Amino acid sequence: MSEVMAALHRDHVHFSRVLNLLQESLGELRAGEDPDFDLVHDVLDYLSHYADLYHHPKEDVIYHYQLEHSSAEAEHIDRLLDEHRALRQITDALRAATDGILGGTVILRQEYADQVAEFLDKQRAHLNLEEAEVFPYLEQTLADSDWAVIEERAPTRADPLFGPDLATQFEGLYQRITGT
C-alpha cells in the first residue's frame, strides 16, 4: 500500500472513532438528554479543520489524477468529489447549529437530532464508498510512479488530534476518545 493511501486509511479509522462519539451524542439526544455540546463542537471543529481542509483535498488530488489518466471508476470518483463539497457544507451547517446552541439559541431537539443523523449517515456512506470501492481500485491500478506524482501534489499536514503533536484545542476530545 502506498504511504499516501495508508495515511488516508488511518485518517478514516480516526474519523470513524470521532463519528462514534457523535453517534453517542445522537443517542443521548434521541433519549431526551442533553449531550455534551462542547464535545460535539470539538468533533465538528476537528472535521472541519482537518478533514475538510487537508484530508479531502489530498483525496481530490488523487481523484483528479485518476480522472486525467483514465475514465475507469469515473462515476464513483465524480460522486466522491461532489460529496467532498457537500460534506463541507453540512459540517459547516451542523457546526453553526451547535455553536448556536452553545450560544443560547433555542433549536428544536428533533430538528437538531435529524441534522446530526443526516450528517452521520452521509459521512459514513462516504467513508464506506472510498474504503470498499475506490481505494482498493486505486491501489491496484496506480503504479509507484503515479503515487510519487500524487505525493508531490498533495497537501500535507499532521493530524492535529491523532498525529505526533496533539493540538491544544483537541486535548479534551483526545481524552474522551482514549479514556485518559
Side-chain angles (χ1 to χ4, degrees):
M1 178 179 290
S2 74
E3 179 51 39
V4 173
M5 288 302 287
L8 292 173
H9 177 70
R10 275 192 307 274
D11 284 350
H12 285 181
V13 170
H14 296 153
F15 296 161
S16 293
R17 292 176 74 184
V18 170
L19 292 173
N20 288 342
L21 287 179
L22 197 54
Q23 184 71 49
E24 290 174 20
S25 296
L26 176 60
E28 292 167 352
L29 280 166
R30 298 263 194 237
E33 302 168 13
D34 285 336
D36 181 346
F37 288 108
D38 287 318
L39 175 71
V40 173
H41 168 82
D42 289 348
V43 165
L44 297 169
D45 195 40
Y46 167 68
L47 291 172
S48 66
H49 282 96
Y50 183 64
D52 290 340
L53 296 179
Y54 294 95
H55 176 86
H56 289 156
K58 184 180 287 190
E59 290 175 336
D60 290 352
V61 167
I62 298 168
Y63 298 158
H64 286 295
Y65 183 90
Q66 174 61 26
L67 291 173
E68 289 169 13
H69 294 85
S70 172
S71 62
E73 289 293 312
E75 184 177 331
H76 282 142
I77 290 172
D78 286 338
R79 177 178 157 194
L80 291 170
L81 289 166
D82 289 342
E83 285 179 4
H84 285 170
R85 289 183 286 278
L87 289 171
R88 185 171 188 165
Q89 291 173 347
I90 65 169
T91 301
D92 290 346
L94 183 56
R95 189 171 169 210
T98 304
D99 288 347
I101 291 168
L102 288 168
T105 302
V106 176
I107 297 175
L108 291 175
R109 179 180 300 276
Q110 186 61 46
E111 285 181 19
Y112 183 74
D114 290 346
Q115 193 175 2
V116 172
E118 178 185 13
F119 176 85
L120 286 166
D121 288 346
K122 288 185 177 188
Q123 288 281 354
R124 289 199 169 117
H126 178 79
L127 291 173
N128 289 338
L129 176 58
E130 287 178 328
E131 289 289 335
E133 300 288 332
V134 177
F135 282 12
Y137 171 78
L138 293 171
E139 271 297 311
Q140 290 178 340
T141 305
L142 297 175
D144 290 343
S145 58
D146 296 318
W147 290 113
V149 171
I150 289 166
E151 196 161 331
E152 286 179 18
R153 293 181 184 177
T156 59
R157 178 181 184 210
D159 186 323
L161 178 60
F162 295 98
D165 296 313
L166 176 63
T168 305
Q169 73 194 71
F170 298 123
E171 287 175 353
L173 181 56
Y174 183 80
Q175 289 171 354
R176 180 70 184 267
I177 290 168
T178 61
T180 60

